[in-house]
Amino acid sequence: MANKALKNTAPSDPKDKQNDKQIVRDYFNSTGFDRWRRIYGEGEVNRVQRDIRTGHQQTVDYVLSWFKNDQNAVEQTVCDAGCGTGSLSIPLAAMGAKVYASDISEKMVGEGKANAVNPENPIFEVNDLAKLSGEYDTVICLDVLIHYPDRESEQMIAHLASLAKSRLILSFAPKNPYYVLMKKVGDMVPGPSKATRAYLHKEADVRRVLKELGFKIKRQEFTATSFYFSRLLEAVRN
């Protein structure tokens, strides 16, 4: 949900950061679920939601193209951490990957199960990213790090990396002067979307963490529409 960097406020009190997880869970199990189900779906949406849908789908398509180009989806184990309604998990499973899809929102997971053609693949489960376990050929986390402040995002990247046997794919909202300004402007615009906090991350910091964890960047892409911006990195073990 990289676009929420435009319109959501960050906490002024560091103690508030402890509430981020519960805020996100509550949001995506209530008003946020209806909003994002429309965005991830194919029905009628407003101009802003259509723009976000286009941006998110472009990020998903980049990931799918990497699997197609490598011709290695069949039988590969994949963890889709923060799967939403299954916009990535379901097509990956159709390509032959064995997908474990998790999300903190029970409603999102329920929608993913309803959208899936094969009830056995992907395997959808309600789970907190910090509690994910197991070992997978590829771990993917798209548009989720925006919910984590810097220190917590680095810890989360390290945790996800510990689950990945060979590859970790991440997307995040990059922090630079232009997007910081856009976020400040968005913060001044009232609206119901201001339900979760949003955090931008310096690309250099994300790359540093991946390097320290023993990964190198193999491929990268960038998506920018009017209301959605996201840096996508594919990191492989050295």
Side-chain angles (χ1 to χ4, degrees), residues 130-168:
K131 296 179 180 179
L132 292 176
S133 61
E135 191 175 52
Y136 307 88
D137 296 317
T138 298
V139 175
I140 305 171
C141 187
L142 301 185
D143 295 354
V144 176
L145 293 178
I146 196 166
H147 300 302
Y148 293 85
D150 286 338
R151 180 174 178 78
E152 291 180 27
S153 69
E154 293 189 9
Q155 294 173 343
M156 187 53 60
I157 292 172
H159 175 60
L160 294 174
S162 72
L163 310 177
K165 289 194 289 186
S166 59
R167 178 168 59 170
L168 177 61

Side-chain angles (χ1 to χ4, degrees), residues 216-228:
K216 62 181 179 181
I217 304 301
K218 179 181 177 181
R219 286 177 285 210
Q220 60 184 327
E221 291 289 353
F222 184 72
T223 300
T225 62
S226 297
F227 300 96
Y228 175 102

Side-chain angles (χ1 to χ4, degrees), residues 90-111:
I90 293 172
L92 274 179
M95 292 170 62
K98 296 181 178 178
V99 184
Y100 169 74
S102 73
D103 199 279
I104 196 172
S105 165
E106 183 177 353
K107 283 195 171 184
M108 286 288 187
V109 168
E111 185 73 7

Side-chain angles (χ1 to χ4, degrees), residues 26-231:
D26 291 346
Y27 174 67
F28 285 105
N29 276 325
S30 56
T31 57
F33 169 70
D34 293 328
R35 178 173 187 256
W36 289 94
R37 178 176 60 175
R38 291 195 302 272
I39 290 174
Y40 291 151
E42 298 179 353
E44 290 295 322
V45 290
N46 62 39
R47 181 181 65 86
V48 173
Q49 292 171 334
R50 189 183 312 111
D51 180 271
I52 296 168
R53 175 190 289 175
T54 299
H56 174 75
Q57 188 59 51
Q58 184 174 328
T59 298
V60 169
D61 288 343
Y62 281 138
V63 175
L64 293 175
S65 71
W66 290 345
F67 277 88
K68 291 176 183 176
N69 291 338
D70 292 346
Q71 298 182 344
N72 66 347
V74 177
E75 296 300 309
Q76 180 161 149
T77 56
V78 177
C79 175
D80 185 6
C83 63
T85 60
S87 57
L88 174 65
S89 297
I90 293 172
L92 274 179
M95 292 170 62
K98 296 181 178 178
V99 184
Y100 169 74
S102 73
D103 199 279
I104 196 172
S105 165
E106 183 177 353
K107 283 195 171 184
M108 286 288 187
V109 168
E111 185 73 7
K113 289 180 179 179
N115 292 337
V117 176
N118 182 350
E120 297 181 355
N121 188 28
I123 296 174
F124 284 96
E125 184 174 282
V126 180
N127 209 342
D128 178 352
L129 261 64
K131 296 179 180 179
L132 292 176
S133 61
E135 191 175 52
Y136 307 88
D137 296 317
T138 298
V139 175
I140 305 171
C141 187
L142 301 185
D143 295 354
V144 176
L145 293 178
I146 196 166
H147 300 302
Y148 293 85
D150 286 338
R151 180 174 178 78
E152 291 180 27
S153 69
E154 293 189 9
Q155 294 173 343
M156 187 53 60
I157 292 172
H159 175 60
L160 294 174
S162 72
L163 310 177
K165 289 194 289 186
S166 59
R167 178 168 59 170
L168 177 61
I169 298 175
L170 302 170
S171 75
F172 57 94
K175 186 175 185 178
N176 59 44
Y178 177 68
Y179 289 132
V180 168
L181 177 60
M182 288 181 67
K183 181 179 183 301
K184 289 181 178 179
V185 172
D187 287 343
M188 294 185 290
V189 179
S193 64
K194 287 187 178 182
T196 64
R197 302 174 179 122
Y199 301 92
L200 310 183
H201 300 292
K202 293 181 180 179
E203 183 172 343
D205 289 341
V206 176
R207 288 176 175 268
R208 171 184 53 78
V209 172
L210 290 170
K211 183 177 181 180
E212 291 173 353
L213 293 169
F215 286 79
K216 62 181 179 181
I217 304 301
K218 179 181 177 181
R219 286 177 285 210
Q220 60 184 327
E221 291 289 353
F222 184 72
T223 300
T225 62
S226 297
F227 300 96
Y228 175 102
F229 50 94
S230 181
R231 167 63 75 188

